[in-house]
């Protein structure tokens, strides 16, 4: 926690879970996780590391409350969908429509429905985070 540099944080993304994660992750990958994802993360470092590592989104059964808000604050797209988290497996090609909350597992042909964020939160994520969205509003 001595740095908030995204590139440095990305080097350590999920290293306690999988020391080779950053070597395997590709830009655009999606993390699919279990319950209470992000538990124990009280700062924005965790979602910053995930986003900076190239992850485009996280789908989980549920999120720890503070991680959930921090993810929105830094512009990391997240979706809660129990069925998708249970059925999508490593290596599946997945697409997400954040406007509708539809999650498509291209590999299996299955689709899932998550609750999409309201438009003002989608705007925060689209802008790359809360501060960037506020700056954009100030320019209008």
């Amino acid at each position: 926690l001595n740095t908030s540099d995204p590139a440095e944080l990305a080097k350590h993304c999920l290293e306690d879970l999988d020391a080779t994660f950053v070597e395997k992750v590709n830009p655009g990958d999606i993390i699919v996780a279990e319950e209470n994802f992000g538990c124990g993360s009280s700062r924005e470092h965790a979602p910053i590391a995930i986003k900076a590592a190239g992850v485009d989104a996280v789908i989980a059964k549920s999120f720890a409350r503070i991680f959930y808000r921090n993810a929105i604050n830094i512009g990391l797209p997240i979706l809660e969908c129990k069925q998708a988290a249970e059925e999508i497996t490593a290596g599946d090609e997945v697409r997400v429509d954040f406007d509708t909350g539809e999650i498509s597992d291209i590999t299996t042909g299955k689709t899932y429905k998550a609750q999409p964020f309201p438009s003002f939160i989608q705007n925060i994520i689209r802008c790359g985070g809360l501060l960037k969205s506020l700056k954009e509003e100030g320019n209008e």
Side-chain angles (χ1 to χ4, degrees):
L1 299 179
N2 294 329
T3 183
S4 57
D5 174 41
E8 183 61 30
L9 292 172
K11 294 177 190 176
H12 304 284
C13 185
L14 298 174
E15 69 184 356
D16 287 341
L17 180 66
D18 179 355
T20 63
F21 176 80
V22 294
E23 298 166 15
K24 296 185 285 188
V25 69
N26 294 304
D29 280 355
I30 296 172
I31 291 175
V32 179
E34 293 289 328
E35 294 180 6
N36 211 18
F37 185 81
C39 179
S41 169
S42 63
R43 298 189 179 155
E44 293 178 343
H45 291 72
I48 289 171
I50 291 169
K51 186 176 177 183
V55 173
D56 269 3
V58 180
I59 299 167
K61 289 182 181 180
S62 65
F63 292 90
R65 183 177 179 269
I66 199 160
F67 179 91
Y68 185 89
R69 187 58 215 194
N70 284 338
I72 293 168
N73 285 347
I74 64 98
L76 175 65
I78 58 174
L79 286 171
E80 287 186 349
C81 185
K82 183 179 179 186
Q83 187 178 6
E86 289 174 347
E87 296 181 7
I88 295 171
T89 59
D92 285 3
E93 181 182 347
V94 176
R95 290 200 185 113
V96 178
D97 183 330
F98 291 102
D99 292 330
T100 65
E102 185 173 284
I103 302 166
S104 301
D105 185 331
I106 307 305
T107 304
T108 65
K110 292 184 177 183
T111 59
Y112 309 94
K113 182 71 172 149
Q115 182 67 39
F117 283 117
S119 60
F120 75 95
I121 292 180
Q122 287 186 36
N123 184 58
I124 291 170
I125 293 169
R126 228 179 257 117
C127 288
L130 181 60
L131 294 178
K132 290 179 182 177
S133 74
L134 293 173
K135 287 179 184 175
E136 185 175 287
E137 285 180 19
N139 291 331
E140 292 180 341

